[in-house]
Amino acid sequence: MIVDQLRLGPLLNFTYLIADRDGGEAMVVDPSYGVDPLLEAIDLRSVKVRYVLNTHSHQDHTAGNDEVVQRTGAKIVAHRKVPFRTDRAVDEGDVIEAGGLRVEVLYTPGHTQDSVLYIFSGHVATGDTLFVGECGRTDLEGGDPSQMYDTLLGRVVRLDDALVVLPGHDYGVTPTSTIGREKQENYTLQPRTREEFVRFLSE
Ligand SMILES: [Fe+2]
């Protein structure tokens, strides 16, 4: 199992190349601005990129889609509510497979209405739903603090503590974390009522 984390673009985005092995089957998560380092990693590993997985529709997570598709022939996978064309529109519980890779989709609105988590091989790609030490904004179009409460305190905290968190931006003290560590250290995941959480996010 290969997970390459690449920090791309001016907004400290993380793009991921995941593969079952060198020379094997691969997927890309959230190709951001300036994908040359990603294309180099794909060449270096001689992997076949079957899918581009978008965690949500924001430009900084999708900017590299077209270039990766042109270069690799990958299919675009995203939640069914994204406002662009996909090859495979997914929703809660869907599974995407390629070679030894098996990726499960969790629908997690809050940051946007088309936000998902991708869970695979002991990892969870969290997009802008969860960062190391922080959560994503809920004050942009499609954001909803009450849905973010259900996503974070109803779903994320119930994930396996051992899952490695692969966030959508390099906003934390470390580039990755685990669900267990975030439950302890991330102030947005601390126990709150819905009312407390919504008030807290607006402060
Ligand atoms: Fe975003």
Side-chain angles (χ1 to χ4, degrees), residues 56-58 107-115 137 141-143 147:
H56 63 297
S57 58
H58 283 162
Y107 178 50
T108 53
H111 175 64
T112 64
Q113 291 302 301
D114 53 36
S115 291
R137 293 174 64 170
E141 189 186 342
Q147 285 183 323

Side-chain angles (χ1 to χ4, degrees), residues 56 58 60-61 111-112 128 140 169:
H56 63 297
H58 283 162
D60 55 319
H61 298 258
H111 175 64
T112 64
D128 288 358
L140 303 171
H169 290 265

Side-chain angles (χ1 to χ4, degrees), residues 129-137 148-149 152-153 157 171-172 177-193 196-203:
T129 296
L130 184 72
F131 304 124
V132 175
E134 184 57 273
C135 74
R137 293 174 64 170
M148 190 60 122
Y149 177 80
L152 292 181
L153 291 153
V157 300
Y171 290 164
S177 183
T178 63
I179 291 293
R181 189 183 123 195
E182 290 310 297
K183 277 162 61 177
Q184 289 198 320
E185 298 180 6
N186 189 318
Y187 73 136
T188 72
L189 294 184
Q190 299 317 305
R192 290 181 174 88
T193 66
E196 287 168 344
F197 182 84
V198 169
R199 199 180 325 122
F200 155 76
L201 280 192
S202 70
E203 284 167 356

Side-chain angles (χ1 to χ4, degrees), residues 143-159:
D144 185 323
S146 184
Q147 285 183 323
M148 190 60 122
Y149 177 80
D150 292 323
T151 282
L152 292 181
L153 291 153
R155 306 210 63 190
V156 167
V157 300
R158 296 202 174 108
L159 296 175

